[in-house]
Amino acid sequence: MPDQPVDQVTGPVTEGSGPTGASRRRRSGPLGPVVRRFANLRIGTKILSVLLVVSTIFVSSGVIGLFTARNLAEQQGRQYRVNVIALSHMTGARSAVGEQLEAVVSHILSEPGFYRDQFEAAIARTDQRIDADIAQLRGNDLAPSTRRALEAFVNLNTLWRAGRDKAIQACHDGDRQQATSIILIGSESVVHAVKTRADAVLTDLVDAVAQGANDSRRYSEQAARMILVALVAGSCLAVTLSVVAARTISRPLTEAVTVLTGVGNGDFTQRLAVTSTDEVGQLAASLNQTLAALQSSFDGLQHLAFHDVLTSLPNRALLRERINAAVEGARPDRYLAVLLIDLDGFKEINDQHGHAVGDQLLTAVAVRIRGGARGANDVAARLGGDEFAVLLTDLENRGDATAVAHRLLVDVQRPMRVEGLAVQLLPRASVGVAVHSPGETVDELMRAADLAMYAAKARGKGVVAQYDQLGTVA
């Protein structure tokens, strides 16, 4: 909390002033009067105007988007029928070629009978599958490069079938060695070429599918650009209205939330910028007046809560807070101490000269104690009645606290004149010193200083007593 009272005079809040409101540039140009007139409309009228303009734009854009989406769907359907279905048939033909090769090898290695018949049936089925897939592929509107690769695959497949049939016939004739030689040696390169061509067709079809996806994406982007052109063409008025509405509605409300959040955190310095005469502008002006009144009241209450009314010195609560902070931030090679200063004979002065004189004496003593503190880190406080305290920090030696106490005692006990009193007053005081030890709490430190102060009074008053670490009075 602050040491000194905060006496800040808050001037009138004008348009564009305050931490949350930057200076607004004056609207100029041919649309300036129109924009200013729109800004002063009622909020409901502003919202309705923006909604009408935006609705018109979106309806127009929706119609364009609907026709574009329909054309795009038709194009994607054609791409699916041509490329994706062709890819499925080519994948089936490539798979059938591999299955047929396995069936042929198994046929050659098997003995005449049931299993050989099954393998021959499998070869026939794969032939039918390959022929059916090739027929479907030839019926599609394939790209020229894909069609050339397909025809090369068909030609190589014909060569493979000739060699395969020759091997099967040799097997039927009982010459298994010749059949094996034909398949594994004579037809090996043909089989490899068949698979390579099939893979080439598959690659072309995959590329075609990818190209179709890219074309669809390109058409989508073109459609988006068309819609964007339509939006831009019809959005000039909507953008202007939206910007003005945002400035006159959203921004002030956002600033109001920021300001009120700061108020909840104890910050009453922010103000809203009043830029219009609509409901939001009236609300901002009223809120600024309320914040000014709250700031004044809060500053006064804050000062009263942590300062003495008569002397404006920190009170006991603020002193304890400062001691806690000093203990937490203390360096291991430095010391801190608390001095308790109690005026001797203050009751007699009050009884003899009146409370007004007593108050003047307390105020003068407070000035002397505050002036006798070593710097900004030391805290002078009034604990109540005729009792004062001083927090000393950053001491190089334990004995420095006693030296400061003696100096303060000399300052306090200097004679003083009081307005309205013919004689001088000779204030007297007793000072108790307690140096903080590691692990000592604030309550223990204050109690040690209190005991030292009472020990000083017991010695005859007007003296300084220090409470050592053992709990005795030095």
Side-chain angles (χ1 to χ4, degrees):
M1 304 304 297
D3 256 8
Q4 303 300 328
V6 180
D7 297 326
Q8 296 180 349
V9 179
T10 305
V13 179
T14 59
E15 178 177 341
S17 65
T20 61
S23 297
R24 306 290 197 245
R25 294 182 177 177
R26 192 174 185 82
R27 298 182 180 94
S28 59
L31 294 179
V34 177
V35 173
R36 283 193 293 272
R37 185 171 181 177
F38 178 78
N40 290 325
L41 292 176
R42 299 183 66 84
I43 294 177
T45 306
K46 293 176 185 176
I47 296 175
L48 181 60
S49 302
V50 174
L51 286 177
L52 288 175
V53 174
V54 172
S55 298
T56 302
I57 295 172
F58 273 100
V59 168
S60 303
S61 302
V63 172
I64 297 174
L66 187 62
F67 283 106
T68 305
R70 187 182 65 179
N71 294 335
L72 182 61
E74 292 177 356
Q75 182 183 8
Q76 289 176 338
R78 288 194 299 271
Q79 290 289 340
Y80 176 80
R81 290 192 297 272
V82 172
N83 295 324
V84 177
I85 295 178
L87 180 63
S88 174
H89 286 299
M90 193 62 225
T91 302
R94 173 66 173 81
S95 175
V97 169
E99 293 177 10
Q100 188 176 98
L101 178 61
E102 294 179 359
V104 170
V105 173
S106 299
H107 178 278
I108 293 172
L109 298 178
S110 63
E111 298 294 334
F114 175 78
Y115 290 107
R116 178 172 287 185
D117 294 339
Q118 292 296 318
F119 292 132
E120 287 184 357
I123 293 171
R125 285 196 302 272
T126 54
D127 277 342
Q128 293 174 358
R129 286 170 50 192
I130 294 172
D131 293 340
D133 288 330
I134 290 175
Q136 291 291 335
L137 287 169
R138 283 174 169 171
N140 279 343
D141 186 16
L142 300 176
S145 61
T146 305
R147 186 169 294 279
R148 287 194 297 270
L150 176 63
E151 294 304 324
F153 167 76
V154 172
N155 294 333
L156 290 171
N157 187 57
T158 302
L159 292 177
W160 152 250
R161 286 182 177 181
R164 177 204 66 192
D165 293 342
K166 185 177 180 180
I168 292 176
Q169 184 60 44
C171 188
H172 282 304
D173 294 339
D175 193 352
R176 183 180 296 176
Q177 183 175 1
Q178 183 182 2
T180 303
S181 176
I182 292 172
I183 293 300
L184 298 182
I185 299 176
S187 300
E188 180 181 5
S189 59
V190 177
V191 173
H192 178 72
V194 169
K195 292 181 178 180
T196 301
R197 289 299 178 183
D199 292 339
V201 175
L202 286 173
T203 301
D204 286 345
L205 289 174
V206 170
D207 292 341
V209 171
Q211 183 62 38
N214 290 333
D215 291 341
S216 298
R217 179 172 58 84
R218 186 173 63 255
Y219 295 146
S220 298
E221 292 174 352
Q222 292 175 353
R225 283 194 293 270
M226 292 177 58
I227 295 175
L228 181 61
V229 170
L231 287 172
V232 172
S235 295
C236 294
L237 180 58
V239 168
T240 302
L241 295 178
S242 299
V243 170
V244 176
R247 287 180 179 272
T248 58
I249 300 175
S250 301
R251 182 180 295 176
L253 292 179
T254 301
E255 291 179 357
V257 171
T258 302
V259 170
L260 293 177
T261 301
V263 171
N265 295 328
D267 181 9
F268 295 90
T269 61
Q270 301 186 63
R271 295 292 183 271
L272 288 174
V274 182
T275 58
S276 64
T277 59
D278 61 359
E279 297 93 331
V280 176
Q282 296 171 12
L283 175 64
S286 299
L287 183 59
N288 286 340
Q289 295 176 359
T290 303
L291 289 175
L294 285 175
Q295 182 180 8
S296 177
S297 300
F298 181 78
D299 290 344
L301 290 174
Q302 188 179 39
H303 182 262
L304 290 176
F306 292 98
H307 292 81
D308 175 56
V309 177
L310 178 64
T311 64
S312 293
L313 289 179
N315 59 13
R316 185 184 296 271
L318 182 54
L319 177 66
R320 289 180 61 87
E321 185 176 314
R322 293 301 174 85
I323 295 175
N324 268 320
V327 169
E328 291 177 359
R331 293 165 48 184
D333 59 338
R334 298 286 178 166
Y335 299 91
L336 63 91
V338 172
L339 312 182
L340 284 188
I341 304 171
D342 190 82
L343 298 183
D344 299 328
F346 178 74
K347 183 178 182 303
E348 288 75 8
I349 294 176
N350 256 346
D351 294 341
Q352 182 178 355
H353 301 290
H355 291 285
V357 173
D359 289 346
Q360 292 185 56
L361 174 62
L362 291 173
T363 302
V365 169
V367 171
R368 292 181 176 182
I369 294 176
R370 182 162 48 194
R374 299 171 306 148
N377 292 331
D378 292 344
V379 180
R382 183 188 177 200
L383 305 184
D386 58 354
E387 189 175 10
F388 297 85
V390 179
L391 169 63
L392 303 177
T393 60
D394 203 28
L395 299 170
E396 294 183 359
N397 303 295
R398 297 178 66 89
D400 291 347
T402 304
V404 175
H406 281 291
R407 178 168 54 78
L408 284 175
L409 182 61
V410 172
D411 289 341
V412 169
Q413 295 187 143
R414 284 188 292 107
M416 67 176 61
R417 287 192 174 276
V418 177
E419 184 179 356
L421 195 63
V423 298
Q424 287 186 337
L425 294 180
L426 299 175
R428 291 290 179 266
S430 299
V431 183
V433 181
V435 180
H436 180 264
S437 300
E440 191 175 25
T441 65
V442 175
D443 290 331
E444 292 170 345
L445 179 62
M446 293 294 291
R447 180 176 176 274
D450 201 46
L451 291 175
M453 185 267 291
Y454 280 111
K457 284 184 174 292
R459 290 183 178 182
K461 304 178 181 180
V463 297
V464 174
Q466 180 172 342
Y467 188 91
D468 63 12
Q469 297 181 2
L470 299 178
T472 61
V473 177

PDB file of all heavy atoms in Angstrom, residues 318-341:
ATOM      1  N   LEU A 318      -0.747  -1.037   8.112  1.00  0.00           N
ATOM      2  CA  LEU A 318       0.208  -0.829   7.038  1.00  0.00           C
ATOM      3  C   LEU A 318       1.629  -1.122   7.505  1.00  0.00           C
ATOM      4  O   LEU A 318       2.447  -1.652   6.746  1.00  0.00           O
ATOM      5  CB  LEU A 318       0.106   0.609   6.511  1.00  0.00           C
ATOM      6  CG  LEU A 318       1.014   0.965   5.333  1.00  0.00           C
ATOM      7  CD1 LEU A 318       0.833  -0.019   4.179  1.00  0.00           C
ATOM      8  CD2 LEU A 318       0.750   2.393   4.859  1.00  0.00           C
ATOM      9  N   LEU A 319       1.942  -0.786   8.771  1.00  0.00           N
ATOM     10  CA  LEU A 319       3.276  -1.080   9.297  1.00  0.00           C
ATOM     11  C   LEU A 319       3.536  -2.584   9.291  1.00  0.00           C
ATOM     12  O   LEU A 319       4.616  -3.045   8.899  1.00  0.00           O
ATOM     13  CB  LEU A 319       3.422  -0.513  10.705  1.00  0.00           C
ATOM     14  CG  LEU A 319       4.761  -0.825  11.402  1.00  0.00           C
ATOM     15  CD1 LEU A 319       5.917  -0.141  10.689  1.00  0.00           C
ATOM     16  CD2 LEU A 319       4.711  -0.431  12.871  1.00  0.00           C
ATOM     17  N   ARG A 320       2.546  -3.376   9.726  1.00  0.00           N
ATOM     18  CA  ARG A 320       2.726  -4.832   9.737  1.00  0.00           C
ATOM     19  C   ARG A 320       2.951  -5.353   8.315  1.00  0.00           C
ATOM     20  O   ARG A 320       3.774  -6.235   8.090  1.00  0.00           O
ATOM     21  CB  ARG A 320       1.499  -5.508  10.355  1.00  0.00           C
ATOM     22  CG  ARG A 320       1.355  -5.297  11.847  1.00  0.00           C
ATOM     23  CD  ARG A 320       0.110  -6.019  12.369  1.00  0.00           C
ATOM     24  NE  ARG A 320       0.214  -7.448  12.129  1.00  0.00           N
ATOM     25  CZ  ARG A 320       0.796  -8.310  12.949  1.00  0.00           C
ATOM     26  NH1 ARG A 320       1.345  -7.882  14.072  1.00  0.00           N
ATOM     27  NH2 ARG A 320       0.843  -9.585  12.660  1.00  0.00           N
ATOM     28  N   GLU A 321       2.224  -4.786   7.360  1.00  0.00           N
ATOM     29  CA  GLU A 321       2.404  -5.218   5.979  1.00  0.00           C
ATOM     30  C   GLU A 321       3.816  -4.907   5.492  1.00  0.00           C
ATOM     31  O   GLU A 321       4.449  -5.724   4.807  1.00  0.00           O
ATOM     32  CB  GLU A 321       1.365  -4.510   5.094  1.00  0.00           C
ATOM     33  CG  GLU A 321       1.368  -4.969   3.656  1.00  0.00           C
ATOM     34  CD  GLU A 321       0.268  -4.311   2.850  1.00  0.00           C
ATOM     35  OE1 GLU A 321      -0.876  -4.268   3.356  1.00  0.00           O
ATOM     36  OE2 GLU A 321       0.545  -3.845   1.727  1.00  0.00           O
ATOM     37  N   ARG A 322       4.324  -3.717   5.838  1.00  0.00           N
ATOM     38  CA  ARG A 322       5.672  -3.340   5.417  1.00  0.00           C
ATOM     39  C   ARG A 322       6.730  -4.195   6.125  1.00  0.00           C
ATOM     40  O   ARG A 322       7.759  -4.535   5.532  1.00  0.00           O
ATOM     41  CB  ARG A 322       5.912  -1.855   5.706  1.00  0.00           C
ATOM     42  CG  ARG A 322       5.050  -0.950   4.853  1.00  0.00           C
ATOM     43  CD  ARG A 322       5.335  -1.199   3.382  1.00  0.00           C
ATOM     44  NE  ARG A 322       4.446  -0.451   2.502  1.00  0.00           N
ATOM     45  CZ  ARG A 322       4.635   0.798   2.126  1.00  0.00           C
ATOM     46  NH1 ARG A 322       5.702   1.457   2.551  1.00  0.00           N
ATOM     47  NH2 ARG A 322       3.780   1.390   1.331  1.00  0.00           N
ATOM     48  N   ILE A 323       6.483  -4.545   7.382  1.00  0.00           N
ATOM     49  CA  ILE A 323       7.437  -5.408   8.087  1.00  0.00           C
ATOM     50  C   ILE A 323       7.479  -6.787   7.430  1.00  0.00           C
ATOM     51  O   ILE A 323       8.550  -7.367   7.224  1.00  0.00           O
ATOM     52  CB  ILE A 323       7.077  -5.523   9.579  1.00  0.00           C
ATOM     53  CG1 ILE A 323       7.230  -4.159  10.272  1.00  0.00           C
ATOM     54  CG2 ILE A 323       7.954  -6.554  10.276  1.00  0.00           C
ATOM     55  CD1 ILE A 323       6.774  -4.153  11.720  1.00  0.00           C
ATOM     56  N   ASN A 324       6.306  -7.313   7.105  1.00  0.00           N
ATOM     57  CA  ASN A 324       6.255  -8.612   6.418  1.00  0.00           C
ATOM     58  C   ASN A 324       7.039  -8.572   5.111  1.00  0.00           C
ATOM     59  O   ASN A 324       7.821  -9.478   4.797  1.00  0.00           O
ATOM     60  CB  ASN A 324       4.799  -8.981   6.139  1.00  0.00           C
ATOM     61  CG  ASN A 324       4.191  -9.820   7.248  1.00  0.00           C
ATOM     62  OD1 ASN A 324       4.841 -10.701   7.796  1.00  0.00           O
ATOM     63  ND2 ASN A 324       2.950  -9.526   7.582  1.00  0.00           N
ATOM     64  N   ALA A 325       6.818  -7.531   4.325  1.00  0.00           N
ATOM     65  CA  ALA A 325       7.527  -7.410   3.052  1.00  0.00           C
ATOM     66  C   ALA A 325       9.030  -7.283   3.271  1.00  0.00           C
ATOM     67  O   ALA A 325       9.839  -7.846   2.524  1.00  0.00           O
ATOM     68  CB  ALA A 325       6.997  -6.208   2.277  1.00  0.00           C
ATOM     69  N   ALA A 326       9.428  -6.530   4.293  1.00  0.00           N
ATOM     70  CA  ALA A 326      10.856  -6.353   4.565  1.00  0.00           C
ATOM     71  C   ALA A 326      11.505  -7.659   5.009  1.00  0.00           C
ATOM     72  O   ALA A 326      12.640  -7.968   4.630  1.00  0.00           O
ATOM     73  CB  ALA A 326      11.050  -5.276   5.632  1.00  0.00           C
ATOM     74  N   VAL A 327      10.771  -8.449   5.810  1.00  0.00           N
ATOM     75  CA  VAL A 327      11.311  -9.736   6.271  1.00  0.00           C
ATOM     76  C   VAL A 327      11.487 -10.686   5.079  1.00  0.00           C
ATOM     77  O   VAL A 327      12.505 -11.370   4.955  1.00  0.00           O
ATOM     78  CB  VAL A 327      10.381 -10.347   7.345  1.00  0.00           C
ATOM     79  CG1 VAL A 327      10.782 -11.791   7.633  1.00  0.00           C
ATOM     80  CG2 VAL A 327      10.435  -9.520   8.617  1.00  0.00           C
ATOM     81  N   GLU A 328      10.493 -10.712   4.184  1.00  0.00           N
ATOM     82  CA  GLU A 328      10.582 -11.615   3.032  1.00  0.00           C
ATOM     83  C   GLU A 328      11.705 -11.221   2.075  1.00  0.00           C
ATOM     84  O   GLU A 328      12.334 -12.075   1.459  1.00  0.00           O
ATOM     85  CB  GLU A 328       9.253 -11.616   2.284  1.00  0.00           C
ATOM     86  CG  GLU A 328       8.128 -12.265   3.070  1.00  0.00           C
ATOM     87  CD  GLU A 328       6.799 -12.175   2.329  1.00  0.00           C
ATOM     88  OE1 GLU A 328       6.783 -11.598   1.228  1.00  0.00           O
ATOM     89  OE2 GLU A 328       5.786 -12.684   2.866  1.00  0.00           O
ATOM     90  N   GLY A 329      11.980  -9.922   1.953  1.00  0.00           N
ATOM     91  CA  GLY A 329      13.000  -9.479   1.013  1.00  0.00           C
ATOM     92  C   GLY A 329      14.329  -9.145   1.650  1.00  0.00           C
ATOM     93  O   GLY A 329      15.197  -8.538   0.995  1.00  0.00           O
ATOM     94  N   ALA A 330      14.514  -9.499   2.926  1.00  0.00           N
ATOM     95  CA  ALA A 330      15.748  -9.128   3.627  1.00  0.00           C
ATOM     96  C   ALA A 330      16.951  -9.905   3.090  1.00  0.00           C
ATOM     97  O   ALA A 330      16.846 -11.088   2.756  1.00  0.00           O
ATOM     98  CB  ALA A 330      15.586  -9.386   5.124  1.00  0.00           C
ATOM     99  N   ARG A 331      18.083  -9.231   2.999  1.00  0.00           N
ATOM    100  CA  ARG A 331      19.334  -9.875   2.596  1.00  0.00           C
ATOM    101  C   ARG A 331      19.966 -10.548   3.806  1.00  0.00           C
ATOM    102  O   ARG A 331      19.843 -10.056   4.946  1.00  0.00           O
ATOM    103  CB  ARG A 331      20.289  -8.833   2.018  1.00  0.00           C
ATOM    104  CG  ARG A 331      19.803  -8.237   0.704  1.00  0.00           C
ATOM    105  CD  ARG A 331      20.547  -6.986   0.330  1.00  0.00           C
ATOM    106  NE  ARG A 331      21.993  -7.145   0.442  1.00  0.00           N
ATOM    107  CZ  ARG A 331      22.870  -6.166   0.248  1.00  0.00           C
ATOM    108  NH1 ARG A 331      22.434  -4.941  -0.049  1.00  0.00           N
ATOM    109  NH2 ARG A 331      24.172  -6.379   0.364  1.00  0.00           N
ATOM    110  N   PRO A 332      20.668 -11.649   3.597  1.00  0.00           N
ATOM    111  CA  PRO A 332      21.237 -12.375   4.749  1.00  0.00           C
ATOM    112  C   PRO A 332      22.339 -11.589   5.471  1.00  0.00           C
ATOM    113  O   PRO A 332      22.602 -11.848   6.650  1.00  0.00           O
ATOM    114  CB  PRO A 332      21.785 -13.662   4.119  1.00  0.00           C
ATOM    115  CG  PRO A 332      21.963 -13.348   2.673  1.00  0.00           C
ATOM    116  CD  PRO A 332      20.901 -12.367   2.326  1.00  0.00           C
ATOM    117  N   ASP A 333      22.985 -10.646   4.773  1.00  0.00           N
ATOM    118  CA  ASP A 333      24.070  -9.889   5.407  1.00  0.00           C
ATOM    119  C   ASP A 333      23.599  -8.544   5.934  1.00  0.00           C
ATOM    120  O   ASP A 333      24.404  -7.688   6.282  1.00  0.00           O
ATOM    121  CB  ASP A 333      25.209  -9.676   4.407  1.00  0.00           C
ATOM    122  CG  ASP A 333      24.742  -8.931   3.159  1.00  0.00           C
ATOM    123  OD1 ASP A 333      23.519  -8.964   2.877  1.00  0.00           O
ATOM    124  OD2 ASP A 333      25.591  -8.320   2.483  1.00  0.00           O
ATOM    125  N   ARG A 334      22.287  -8.321   5.972  1.00  0.00           N
ATOM    126  CA  ARG A 334      21.737  -7.062   6.460  1.00  0.00           C
ATOM    127  C   ARG A 334      20.736  -7.338   7.568  1.00  0.00           C
ATOM    128  O   ARG A 334      20.244  -8.451   7.742  1.00  0.00           O
ATOM    129  CB  ARG A 334      21.049  -6.297   5.316  1.00  0.00           C
ATOM    130  CG  ARG A 334      21.997  -5.915   4.189  1.00  0.00           C
ATOM    131  CD  ARG A 334      22.892  -4.772   4.583  1.00  0.00           C
ATOM    132  NE  ARG A 334      23.839  -4.420   3.526  1.00  0.00           N
ATOM    133  CZ  ARG A 334      24.548  -3.303   3.499  1.00  0.00           C
ATOM    134  NH1 ARG A 334      24.418  -2.427   4.479  1.00  0.00           N
ATOM    135  NH2 ARG A 334      25.397  -3.062   2.518  1.00  0.00           N
ATOM    136  N   TYR A 335      20.410  -6.290   8.325  1.00  0.00           N
ATOM    137  CA  TYR A 335      19.490  -6.414   9.454  1.00  0.00           C
ATOM    138  C   TYR A 335      18.326  -5.451   9.263  1.00  0.00           C
ATOM    139  O   TYR A 335      18.432  -4.446   8.550  1.00  0.00           O
ATOM    140  CB  TYR A 335      20.202  -6.107  10.769  1.00  0.00           C
ATOM    141  CG  TYR A 335      21.351  -7.027  11.082  1.00  0.00           C
ATOM    142  CD1 TYR A 335      22.645  -6.710  10.674  1.00  0.00           C
ATOM    143  CD2 TYR A 335      21.143  -8.216  11.764  1.00  0.00           C
ATOM    144  CE1 TYR A 335      23.711  -7.553  10.949  1.00  0.00           C
ATOM    145  CE2 TYR A 335      22.206  -9.075  12.055  1.00  0.00           C
ATOM    146  CZ  TYR A 335      23.495  -8.730  11.645  1.00  0.00           C
ATOM    147  OH  TYR A 335      24.535  -9.567  11.927  1.00  0.00           O
ATOM    148  N   LEU A 336      17.225  -5.777   9.944  1.00  0.00           N
ATOM    149  CA  LEU A 336      16.116  -4.832  10.038  1.00  0.00           C
ATOM    150  C   LEU A 336      15.672  -4.781  11.484  1.00  0.00           C
ATOM    151  O   LEU A 336      15.826  -5.759  12.241  1.00  0.00           O
ATOM    152  CB  LEU A 336      14.966  -5.210   9.099  1.00  0.00           C
ATOM    153  CG  LEU A 336      14.221  -6.533   9.316  1.00  0.00           C
ATOM    154  CD1 LEU A 336      13.015  -6.324  10.232  1.00  0.00           C
ATOM    155  CD2 LEU A 336      13.744  -7.083   7.994  1.00  0.00           C
ATOM    156  N   ALA A 337      15.112  -3.647  11.883  1.00  0.00           N
ATOM    157  CA  ALA A 337      14.745  -3.449  13.280  1.00  0.00           C
ATOM    158  C   ALA A 337      13.482  -2.609  13.362  1.00  0.00           C
ATOM    159  O   ALA A 337      13.118  -1.895  12.409  1.00  0.00           O
ATOM    160  CB  ALA A 337      15.884  -2.764  14.030  1.00  0.00           C
ATOM    161  N   VAL A 338      12.823  -2.697  14.506  1.00  0.00           N
ATOM    162  CA  VAL A 338      11.628  -1.904  14.792  1.00  0.00           C
ATOM    163  C   VAL A 338      11.894  -1.068  16.035  1.00  0.00           C
ATOM    164  O   VAL A 338      12.357  -1.588  17.064  1.00  0.00           O
ATOM    165  CB  VAL A 338      10.392  -2.806  14.999  1.00  0.00           C
ATOM    166  CG1 VAL A 338       9.209  -1.979  15.486  1.00  0.00           C
ATOM    167  CG2 VAL A 338      10.037  -3.511  13.706  1.00  0.00           C
ATOM    168  N   LEU A 339      11.611   0.235  15.938  1.00  0.00           N
ATOM    169  CA  LEU A 339      11.703   1.148  17.071  1.00  0.00           C
ATOM    170  C   LEU A 339      10.290   1.499  17.509  1.00  0.00           C
ATOM    171  O   LEU A 339       9.460   1.910  16.697  1.00  0.00           O
ATOM    172  CB  LEU A 339      12.449   2.429  16.687  1.00  0.00           C
ATOM    173  CG  LEU A 339      13.781   2.296  15.926  1.00  0.00           C
ATOM    174  CD1 LEU A 339      14.366   3.675  15.700  1.00  0.00           C
ATOM    175  CD2 LEU A 339      14.753   1.414  16.675  1.00  0.00           C
ATOM    176  N   LEU A 340      10.002   1.349  18.820  1.00  0.00           N
ATOM    177  CA  LEU A 340       8.730   1.805  19.385  1.00  0.00           C
ATOM    178  C   LEU A 340       9.009   3.043  20.229  1.00  0.00           C
ATOM    179  O   LEU A 340       9.834   3.009  21.156  1.00  0.00           O
ATOM    180  CB  LEU A 340       8.082   0.722  20.236  1.00  0.00           C
ATOM    181  CG  LEU A 340       7.395  -0.423  19.483  1.00  0.00           C
ATOM    182  CD1 LEU A 340       6.639  -1.317  20.462  1.00  0.00           C
ATOM    183  CD2 LEU A 340       6.429   0.117  18.447  1.00  0.00           C
ATOM    184  N   ILE A 341       8.341   4.148  19.911  1.00  0.00           N
ATOM    185  CA  ILE A 341       8.563   5.432  20.583  1.00  0.00           C
ATOM    186  C   ILE A 341       7.271   5.811  21.287  1.00  0.00           C
ATOM    187  O   ILE A 341       6.230   5.972  20.646  1.00  0.00           O
ATOM    188  CB  ILE A 341       8.955   6.518  19.565  1.00  0.00           C
ATOM    189  CG1 ILE A 341      10.190   6.064  18.765  1.00  0.00           C
ATOM    190  CG2 ILE A 341       9.209   7.846  20.259  1.00  0.00           C
ATOM    191  CD1 ILE A 341      10.513   6.976  17.601  1.00  0.00           C
TER     192      ILE A 341
END
